[in-house]
Amino acid sequence: MTAKYTQHIAGSREWIGLGVMCLATLFIAADSFVLMQALPDIVVDTHADGIEQLWISDIYGIVLGSLLITMGGLGDRVGRRRLFLIGVAAFGTASAVAAYATGPGTLIVARALLGVAAAALIPSTLGLIRTMFREPRQMGVAFGIWASFYTIGAVAGLLVGGVLLAHFWWGSVFLVNVPAAVLVLVLAPLVLPGQRDTEAGRPDWTSSLLSLAAILPAVWGVKEVSRDGWGLVPIAAVVVGALFGWAFVRRQRTLEHPLLDLSLFRNRSFATPLLALFVQALLTGTVLLFLMLDFQLVEGLTPLQAAFGLAPGLVLSSLCAPVVGVLARRFRPAHLMAWGEVLVIIGLVLVIVASTTGTPVLFVVGFALWSAGGSPLLAIGMTLMVGSVPVDRAGAAAAAPQVSAELGNAIGVAVVGSAAVALYHARMSGSLPPEVPADVAATASQSIANAAQASATLPPELARVVFDQARLAFSTSLQVLTGFTAVVLAFVVLMIAVRLRHVPPLGQEAPEPAPIPDVVEELR
């Protein structure tokens, strides 16, 4: 270990503090996965239509992605520990509101509030890790442990959520977050350091509003297009979002302390993992949502059985993430991340084969390879990105990869998911026999969850015909979506291998690579 980092070696308090932050990460990850399990019950109980289902699923990520950089910069200014505690308290409160929501509108609002709370919590956690673990090798292990708890939380969410849904109403999967939040609020002040950037400027609320104004109308417009086609209002919403996005970028270039430092994107070690995380989240998050629906509505599994189907992959991922942090000391990050993405592609191919042949075990094996392969990109990519900025600005920089992942997942569900829903609708249109009432046919064409509910009102033979056609249409959508994802990730493998080939193993020195050309400046 070099003398450069000797004075920054983490001790027992830092590792205990990491454990407390990982506990908070557990209930954030669990919340996302239990929603996937509870969605069929939520649809039935709240009578949510296909687009409302998408809003329930992705409003959390849209709000989270919109506010992460704002919250990261705010944490640098007011203190990351303080913002972390506020985020935990708000997350527990919003979970209680979601648990007792009585309709889709209330639940969508509650999910948006959860996104605000998580936006405060996540960059504070990552910034604190950067502050507490400054030696690159320890930092790599710390981020690997953090990433493993993300998947451990997913496993816990699936198992606990499955048990709760088997014995209680769907709101119980949100209510379970409350005692965990209370425990973190008690422990965190004892072990987490308080630190902020004393030279940073005031929070830039104008930039925050511009980022929200860019994202929200654009995603809403895409959702409306997926439901009603290319109308004037949805197209106008997308254009308005694009204009606000342009204004946001222009403003960042003129600020002394920008909300988003655009110069970071000229650093290959920052920009390449960021783009890879965005693309992977954009596509695989949507595939996972459709896979959960396939388990429960096509394969006929209970929520608990579906949880056991995904659990092996999530356990394997949680074991791989810390190991990857250690391997990164000996092997180049580009090699580990690129080969990991190859495993993701193999896993996706197995999912397609499983959907085509009706072999459930291939679903399990495919998801296991997919989960394990994604660990290097998350653990090592996070280390490269956060480690490339000064400690005092770690909060804002740490927010960027989470924006990439969370916003990618949300936009993926909204855009790619809407395209898959449109494909399902196209396959269902005109495919049902004339004996099916028009209102039932229209409902069944919205989504497979609606098809399951609508077919239950028909005589048994006719119900079987309707739902068999819905299952066929949904399986086709899943196969097309998964195949497209595998092809795009092949290009991600090439990008990582080429763009990061200069980066040495963690803890070793290397000359700075040539910066990426400033495309935005050239366009000006």
Side-chain angles (χ1 to χ4, degrees):
M1 192 173 294
T2 62
K4 178 181 178 181
Y5 299 104
T6 302
Q7 68 272 30
H8 296 304
I9 301 303
S12 58
R13 180 178 178 181
E14 285 78 11
W15 291 107
I16 293 172
L18 176 64
V20 172
M21 291 187 292
C22 286
L23 178 59
T25 300
L26 280 177
F27 60 73
I28 291 179
D31 180 82
S32 299
F33 278 82
V34 296
L35 177 66
M36 295 181 187
Q37 285 183 291
L39 190 57
D41 290 341
I42 291 172
V43 170
V44 173
D45 192 39
T46 64
H47 307 289
D49 62 26
I51 297 299
E52 286 172 334
Q53 293 172 45
L54 291 176
W55 272 116
I56 291 170
S57 299
D58 63 26
I59 188 62
Y60 169 88
I62 293 170
V63 173
L64 172 60
S66 301
L67 293 177
L68 272 170
I69 298 211
T70 297
M71 294 296 187
L74 186 62
D76 290 339
R77 291 164 172 82
V78 305
R80 294 167 199 145
R81 182 178 66 184
R82 178 182 300 175
L83 191 62
F84 175 86
L85 295 172
I86 293 172
V88 172
F91 199 92
T93 303
S95 295
V97 174
Y100 293 103
T102 57
T106 304
L107 185 56
I108 289 169
V109 171
R111 294 287 297 166
L113 294 175
L114 283 169
V116 175
L121 200 158
I122 293 175
S124 301
T125 298
L126 298 176
L128 283 166
I129 292 176
R130 175 68 175 92
T131 300
M132 295 158 62
F133 301 92
R134 302 192 186 187
E135 197 278 321
R137 298 185 179 188
Q138 285 192 325
M139 189 191 308
V141 173
F143 276 118
I145 293 172
W146 170 82
S148 73
F149 269 80
Y150 226 102
T151 51
I152 290 172
V155 174
L158 288 170
L159 297 179
V160 174
V163 171
L164 290 174
L165 290 172
H167 296 89
F168 304 99
W169 94 113
W170 58 263
S172 62
V173 302
F174 296 109
L175 199 59
V176 74
N177 293 331
V178 176
V182 172
L183 181 59
V184 173
L185 288 172
V186 172
L187 297 177
L190 305 177
V191 291
L192 298 182
Q195 182 176 359
R196 62 188 180 92
D197 183 3
T198 56
E199 297 181 358
R202 294 163 54 185
D204 182 11
W205 301 114
T206 300
S207 293
S208 300
L209 291 174
L210 284 173
S211 67
L212 282 170
I215 295 166
L216 292 178
V219 174
W220 178 84
V222 171
K223 285 177 176 292
E224 290 301 301
V225 168
S226 72
R227 182 176 65 179
D228 300 324
W230 294 95
L232 179 60
V233 175
I235 294 175
V238 173
V239 172
V240 168
L243 291 175
F244 276 114
W246 173 80
F248 173 81
V249 172
R250 292 274 297 182
R251 178 173 175 80
Q252 302 317 293
R253 302 189 68 87
T254 63
L255 297 175
E256 182 181 358
H257 298 286
L259 182 63
L260 177 61
D261 185 358
L262 299 181
S263 67
L264 288 173
F265 296 96
R266 303 176 65 186
N267 184 337
R268 292 175 186 265
S269 295
F270 184 91
T272 304
L274 189 70
L275 179 58
L277 278 171
F278 176 79
V279 173
Q280 179 165 292
L282 181 78
L283 297 171
T284 59
T286 309
V287 174
L288 182 57
L289 176 61
F290 274 68
L291 186 60
M292 282 297 298
L293 291 173
D294 183 272
F295 276 172
Q296 296 184 54
L297 298 175
V298 176
E299 303 297 330
L301 303 180
T302 66
L304 186 57
Q305 289 171 330
F308 280 114
L310 297 183
L314 296 173
V315 170
L316 184 59
S317 177
S318 67
L319 295 175
C320 287
V323 173
V324 165
V326 175
L327 291 177
R329 301 176 179 185
R330 300 178 61 87
F331 301 98
R332 287 183 178 271
H335 298 165
L336 294 173
M337 290 190 288
W339 281 110
E341 293 304 294
V342 170
L343 279 181
V344 175
I345 293 171
I346 295 173
L348 291 171
V349 171
L350 290 179
V351 169
I352 296 173
V353 175
S355 178
T356 304
T357 61
T359 310
V361 68
L362 288 181
F363 275 121
V364 177
V365 175
F367 181 71
L369 293 177
W370 160 9
S371 299
S375 297
L377 179 58
L378 179 59
I380 302 175
M382 195 70 70
T383 304
L384 291 178
M385 288 183 282
V386 179
S388 65
V389 298
V391 173
D392 288 344
R393 301 303 304 276
Q402 283 299 303
V403 170
S404 181
E406 296 293 344
L407 193 56
N409 182 67
I411 293 177
V413 173
V415 179
V416 183
S418 294
V421 169
L423 177 59
Y424 169 87
H425 179 75
R427 289 298 302 267
M428 287 293 290
S429 297
S431 65
L432 298 177
E435 294 82 5
V436 179
D439 59 334
V440 173
T443 301
S445 297
Q446 291 179 355
S447 71
I448 190 169
N450 289 93
Q453 184 178 1
S455 62
T457 65
L458 299 174
E461 290 297 325
L462 196 56
R464 187 179 305 110
V465 172
V466 171
F467 194 64
D468 284 347
Q469 183 61 37
R471 287 193 296 183
L472 178 61
F474 184 82
S475 295
T476 301
S477 299
L478 175 62
Q479 292 160 20
V480 172
L481 172 62
T482 307
F484 176 75
T485 299
V487 171
V488 174
L489 289 183
F491 288 97
V492 172
V493 171
L494 294 176
M495 178 186 71
I496 291 172
V498 172
R499 292 290 187 180
L500 296 180
R501 65 184 183 275
H502 67 278
V503 180
L506 297 183
Q508 298 185 17
E509 298 292 335
E512 287 293 322
I516 298 175
D518 192 340
V519 178
V520 176
E521 182 64 31
E522 291 179 3
L523 290 176
R524 293 180 65 196

